[in-house]
């Protein structure tokens, strides 16, 4: 069975600082991994996805994530935080061919960006 | 192009009542999935439908049911509501089962009193 652990339910950074949100996964088959962002009172928006094509994945809004099989990790980073990045971020894993199978989500990390 | 739409936006019910939530997928998408997101948690998978057939079910009681219509829209029904059913219910659509990326709607916020 697939599972995801997000380390740190709350992360606070200063504007312009590096953003690092941690995600570790467990999967018995090669995983498909996703990061979604959720702004208050909204649904989920896909930031990026890993589907085995390249280990470094670039997403929207300057975010990227690196798949490390040896560490079973898929951490999300952004070099310089903006106030608009304040939101909740969810890491998810899927065992499906392309991620259209059910997604298993982590509990989320709430990112606060301080001026 | 319109994204995934869900109705209603908010809903308040009392314990024991029944509720129906609606979802319209992105035009051309044939698969719809439902997720429950309790406050402070990540979404949990409830159902997946493709071409009007159930293709996956999460660990939810039989009080939860769903269906998909010929136009690929979907309804989620919850009977005998409990306080613990209060959550944001998210619908996601994909083009086919074996394609990537689930696109999520804005959700329906259900409050059970």
């Amino acid at each position: 069975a697939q599972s995801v652990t997000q380390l740190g339910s709350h992360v606070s950074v200063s504007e312009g600082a590096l953003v690092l949100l941690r995600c570790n996964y467990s999967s018995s088959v090669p995983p498909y991994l996703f990061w979604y962002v959720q702004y208050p009172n909204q649904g989920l928006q896909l930031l990026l996805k890993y589907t085995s094509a390249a280990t470094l994945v670039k997403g929207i809004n300057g975010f990227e994530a690196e798949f490390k099989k040896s560490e079973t990790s898929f951490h999300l980073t952004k070099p310089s935080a903006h106030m608009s990045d304040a939101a909740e971020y969810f890491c998810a894993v899927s065992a499906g061919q392309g991620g259209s199978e059910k997604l298993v989500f982590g509990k989320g990390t709430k990112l606060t960006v301080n001026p | 192009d319109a994204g995934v739409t869900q109705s209603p936006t908010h809903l308040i019910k009392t314990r024991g009542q029944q509720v129906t939530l609606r979802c319209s997928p992105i035009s051309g998408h044939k698969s719809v999935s439902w997720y429950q997101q309790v406050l402070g948690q990540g979404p949990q998978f409830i159902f997946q439908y493709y071409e009007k057939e159930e293709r996956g079910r999460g660990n939810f009681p039989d009080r939860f049911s769903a269906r998909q219509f010929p136009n690929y829209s979907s309804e989620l029904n919850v009977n005998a509501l409990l306080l613990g059913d209060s959550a944001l219910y998210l619908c996601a659509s994909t083009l086919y089962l074996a394609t990537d990326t689930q696109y999520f709607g804005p959700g329906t916020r259900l409050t059970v009193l």
Side-chain angles (χ1 to χ4, degrees):
Chain A
Q2 288 71 38
S3 68
V4 163
T5 301
Q6 291 185 241
L7 302 175
S9 58
H10 290 84
V11 170
S12 182
V13 301
S14 298
E15 192 173 19
L18 171 72
V19 175
L20 171 60
L21 305 182
R22 300 177 187 273
C23 172
N24 288 90
Y25 70 90
S26 173
S27 177
S28 56
V29 298
Y32 288 79
L33 294 160
F34 304 79
W35 276 99
Y36 283 86
V37 61
Q38 186 175 36
Y39 297 99
N41 301 314
Q42 294 188 25
L44 301 175
Q45 180 183 5
L46 180 71
L47 278 177
L48 50 81
K49 60 188 178 186
Y50 167 76
T51 57
S52 76
T55 57
L56 183 61
V57 182
K58 293 187 183 299
I60 62 171
N61 301 338
F63 284 94
E64 64 181 35
E66 186 173 7
F67 173 73
K68 292 187 177 180
K69 185 178 179 180
S70 61
E71 298 177 7
T72 61
S73 69
F74 189 58
H75 300 333
L76 181 71
T77 60
K78 182 174 181 178
S80 177
H82 294 161
M83 297 295 289
S84 60
D85 294 327
E88 190 148 25
Y89 292 79
F90 292 94
C91 182
V93 63
S94 167
Q97 280 188 315
S100 61
E101 303 283 328
K102 71 172 187 177
L103 295 174
V104 176
F105 286 87
K107 292 186 176 182
T109 297
K110 186 173 183 179
L111 176 66
T112 301
V113 181
N114 302 306
Chain B
D1 286 343
V4 178
T5 59
Q6 293 186 242
S7 62
T9 305
H10 294 87
L11 205 51
I12 298 175
K13 293 286 188 178
T14 57
R15 282 176 294 174
Q17 286 189 312
Q18 175 265 342
V19 69
T20 298
L21 310 181
R22 296 176 175 83
C23 171
S24 292
I26 293 171
S27 177
H29 283 200
K30 299 177 185 296
S31 177
V32 167
S33 297
W34 287 94
Y35 292 80
Q36 180 196 63
Q37 185 179 17
V38 173
L39 196 62
Q41 300 291 323
Q44 281 200 302
F45 173 75
I46 310 175
F47 286 110
Q48 184 179 58
Y49 276 77
Y50 175 69
E51 290 284 10
K52 302 182 291 296
E53 291 188 5
E54 182 182 306
R55 293 302 187 101
R57 184 183 184 116
N59 188 25
F60 280 81
D62 292 343
R63 299 185 295 106
F64 288 77
S65 64
R67 56 180 174 167
Q68 187 177 34
F69 299 98
N71 66 354
Y72 303 110
S73 67
S74 177
E75 285 183 353
L76 175 70
N77 296 284
V78 186
N79 294 322
L81 285 167
L82 303 174
L83 294 180
D85 295 331
S86 295
L88 180 67
Y89 288 85
L90 295 163
C91 173
S93 78
T94 44
L95 186 56
Y96 301 111
L97 266 182
T99 190
D100 58 359
T101 306
Q102 296 191 24
Y103 295 92
F104 284 82
T108 293
R109 172 73 63 187
L110 172 65
T111 301
V112 182
L113 302 177

